[in-house]
Amino acid sequence: MKKYALVIFLFILFPIQLFADGPFLYSLPFNVYPADAVLEKTSEKGIDYPTFEKYLLDDKNELGKKVALISGLEVYFVVNDTQKSYFVDYREKFRNTIEKKYKTTIEDKKVPINYRFVYTLMKDYDTESPNIKAYKNFVEENQQSRTLQTIHVFAFNFDMMWNPERKKYDDINNFKTQYEENYFMNFDNFSNDVPIDILNQMVEISVLGSDCKYDLKCLVPDNDNELSVLNTKTQFILNKIANAESLPGMVVSENAADIGLNAFQWIGDESQNVENLKISANQKELINYFIANETYQMINHVDNLSVYFSDLGKTKAQLAKLNLSKSLGKNESKTNKSFAELKKIFNKDNDSSIGISDGNTLDDLRNLIYYLYTNPQELTKIYTNITKNQ
C-alpha cells in the first residue's frame, strides 16, 4: 500500500472518502449506508474473512453495499497504513469460493455478473488507474444497474483526475455523449441497487474529471485551429454566471444572483475591450475564456491567481503598479463602473459569508487580465499545448 499522508490527515477531519485523494477503491463515493454496522466497522477496524465473504455472497445485500464493503476495506488500509494488507488474500479466497461453486473460472459468463463484477472491482486495489474497459463491458452487459453505471462513470473521471496527461477533448467528449449523459439522464430509471443519494457526489466527480484547466488538447479538438469550441465553452460559463449557478459542492450565498448579474455585465464590458485589442483572433478567444473562467471561479470563492502570478513570474503588487486600465481608452469609464458594482456586491458577500483564501481579490484578477491585454504572448505561460496554428 502506498503512503497517502494527505489522505490520512483529511480523513481525520472529514471521515468520508475524498475524490482522488487516495487510490480508486478508497475514493469510491459509496458512503451512502450510514446505518450499516458492518460497513462502518470495516472502514474503522477491518473485517475477518468469513464475515467478508458472507456479506458478498448474501443476496439480501444490494450490489451497492458490496461495493461499499470493498471500498471500506481499502479505506481501513489507507488510514492504518502500518497495517499489513490482507486485501489481495481476501480477493483470491473469494475467487476460489466462486470458482469452486460454479466449477469454472470467475471470468466465465456462466458466473453471475455481480460476482464477476465484485472480483474485477477487487482487482483494482491500490491503484490510481482503474480498469475502465472492464467496467464498460459490465455496463454493456447490464445497462439497468445503477451501481455498474456509477462505477463506470466514476472510474473514467477518476482516471482523468489522477492522469491528466490522458485528457483529450475527443476522448472526454465521446465518453460524455456515449455514456455519461445517459447515466445522468436515466439515473432515476436504473435499478435501485444503490441509493439515489450518490447522485450529488457523481455530479461533482464528473465536473472534476472533465476540468481541463488551461490545457488546449483537452479544451478543444486537435483540428479546431480557430478555437470555435473554446468560444462555445466561454458562452457556457457565462450562462452559469448569469444564472448564478455555483460550482459543485460550493455554498450558494444570499447575494449569488446579484453577483452573477454584475459579473456578467462586467465581463461583457471586458469582452468589448478584448475586441478592440490589436491582437490575433485566437488570442482574443484565449483571453475571453480566461476572463470568464477565472471570474466564475472567484465569485464562487475559488482563488487560483497565485498559480498564474507564479507562472508569469510576476507578483500581484507588480501588476497593480502598472495601472493598465488607462489603456482601455474611451471604454475605461464604463468598464470601471461595472467593475465597481461587482466589487461592491461581492465584497458584501465576502464580509458576510466566505472569504477568499490566499488574500487575492477581484482587483488582482483584473490587473492580471489587463497585463494579458498588453502582453498576449504571455498566454503561453498559462495555456498548455498551444499549437502553432492556434
Side-chain angles (χ1 to χ4, degrees), residues 5-17:
L6 176 60
V7 174
I8 296 170
F9 173 73
L10 291 173
F11 187 88
I12 293 171
L13 296 178
F14 309 102
I16 60 172
Q17 293 94 309

Side-chain angles (χ1 to χ4, degrees), residues 259-275:
I259 291 173
L261 290 176
N262 280 280
F264 185 82
Q265 178 62 53
W266 173 60
I267 294 172
D269 291 339
E270 291 296 354
S271 69
Q272 184 58 56
N273 294 330
V274 173
E275 187 59 33

Side-chain angles (χ1 to χ4, degrees), residues 312-379:
L312 295 170
K314 302 291 183 182
T315 67
K316 60 183 179 181
Q318 287 175 320
L319 297 187
K321 288 179 181 179
L322 296 177
N323 194 21
L324 294 171
S325 64
K326 297 295 183 183
S327 64
L328 300 181
K330 62 182 180 179
N331 207 37
E332 180 184 359
S333 177
K334 182 182 178 183
T335 305
N336 285 344
K337 181 179 178 181
S338 61
F339 183 72
E341 291 297 321
L342 171 59
K343 268 180 58 176
K344 179 180 178 182
I345 189 65
F346 180 75
N347 288 341
K348 177 182 176 182
D349 182 74
N350 243 5
D351 292 340
S352 61
S353 56
I354 307 169
I356 289 282
S357 64
D358 204 24
N360 293 313
T361 66
L362 285 172
D363 284 302
D364 297 321
L365 172 60
R366 187 168 74 150
N367 291 334
L368 175 55
I369 290 168
Y370 290 169
Y371 178 76
L372 294 175
Y373 284 1
T374 54
N375 298 274
Q377 72 281 358
E378 297 283 72
L379 287 164

Side-chain angles (χ1 to χ4, degrees), residues 43-250:
S43 62
E44 294 177 355
K45 300 181 179 179
I47 188 172
D48 62 84
Y49 182 74
T51 305
F52 181 77
E53 180 181 289
K54 180 180 178 181
Y55 196 96
L56 293 180
L57 297 179
D58 190 344
D59 291 336
K60 293 179 182 178
N61 292 324
E62 62 189 50
L63 186 56
K65 284 191 171 185
K66 296 175 183 181
V67 172
L69 180 71
I70 293 167
S71 177
L73 187 55
E74 179 151 66
V75 168
Y76 170 69
F77 290 122
V78 168
V79 176
N80 300 280
D81 65 344
T82 58
Q83 169 69 44
K84 180 175 170 51
S85 173
Y86 45 76
F87 192 102
V88 174
D89 182 48
Y90 279 20
R91 181 186 72 204
E92 293 310 300
K93 285 183 177 179
F94 178 78
R95 178 179 64 82
N96 290 336
T97 296
I98 297 300
E99 291 184 346
K100 183 177 180 180
K101 179 177 181 179
Y102 292 95
K103 296 180 173 56
T104 186
T105 62
I106 197 166
E107 291 87 1
D108 193 328
K109 286 195 174 183
K110 294 178 183 178
V111 175
I113 184 173
N114 284 2
Y115 294 151
R116 287 185 279 121
F117 165 72
V118 163
Y119 176 71
T120 300
L121 192 67
M122 286 192 281
K123 287 171 69 176
D124 271 338
Y125 172 68
D126 195 22
T127 184
E128 297 85 33
S129 300
N131 191 342
I132 301 169
K133 183 178 180 180
Y135 300 127
K136 181 186 77 170
N137 292 337
F138 283 120
V139 164
E140 291 176 350
E141 186 175 344
N142 179 9
Q143 298 181 14
Q144 294 307 306
S145 169
R146 185 183 293 155
T147 294
L148 295 181
Q149 292 275 1
T150 296
I151 291 293
H152 182 216
V153 171
F154 185 91
F156 179 87
N157 286 289
F158 179 91
D159 187 64
M160 292 296 98
M161 293 168 66
W162 265 103
N163 304 287
E165 71 282 357
R166 298 179 190 171
K167 286 187 176 183
K168 294 183 179 179
Y169 176 85
D170 288 338
D171 292 342
I172 292 175
N173 189 58
N174 289 340
F175 180 80
K176 287 186 176 297
T177 55
Q178 293 179 30
Y179 298 102
E180 190 170 282
E181 289 176 3
N182 173 70
Y183 170 75
F184 287 116
M185 189 179 303
N186 294 294
F187 184 85
D188 290 340
N189 299 324
F190 294 137
S191 60
N192 193 31
D193 55 7
V194 67
I196 60 174
D197 299 357
I198 204 169
L199 179 60
N200 287 340
Q201 297 183 73
M202 290 305 297
V203 170
E204 292 182 32
I205 189 69
S206 170
V207 172
L208 294 170
S210 58
D211 181 10
C212 295
K213 308 299 183 189
Y214 292 102
D215 182 354
L216 280 189
K217 72 177 174 57
C218 176
L219 284 168
V220 299
D222 289 339
N223 60 355
D224 187 10
N225 294 328
E226 297 181 356
L227 303 183
S228 57
V229 170
L230 193 62
N231 178 267
T232 301
K233 289 179 179 289
T234 300
Q235 297 306 314
F236 182 71
I237 295 172
L238 289 175
N239 286 336
K240 286 180 174 290
I241 292 172
N243 294 321
E245 293 184 33
S246 66
L247 288 168
M250 300 303 291

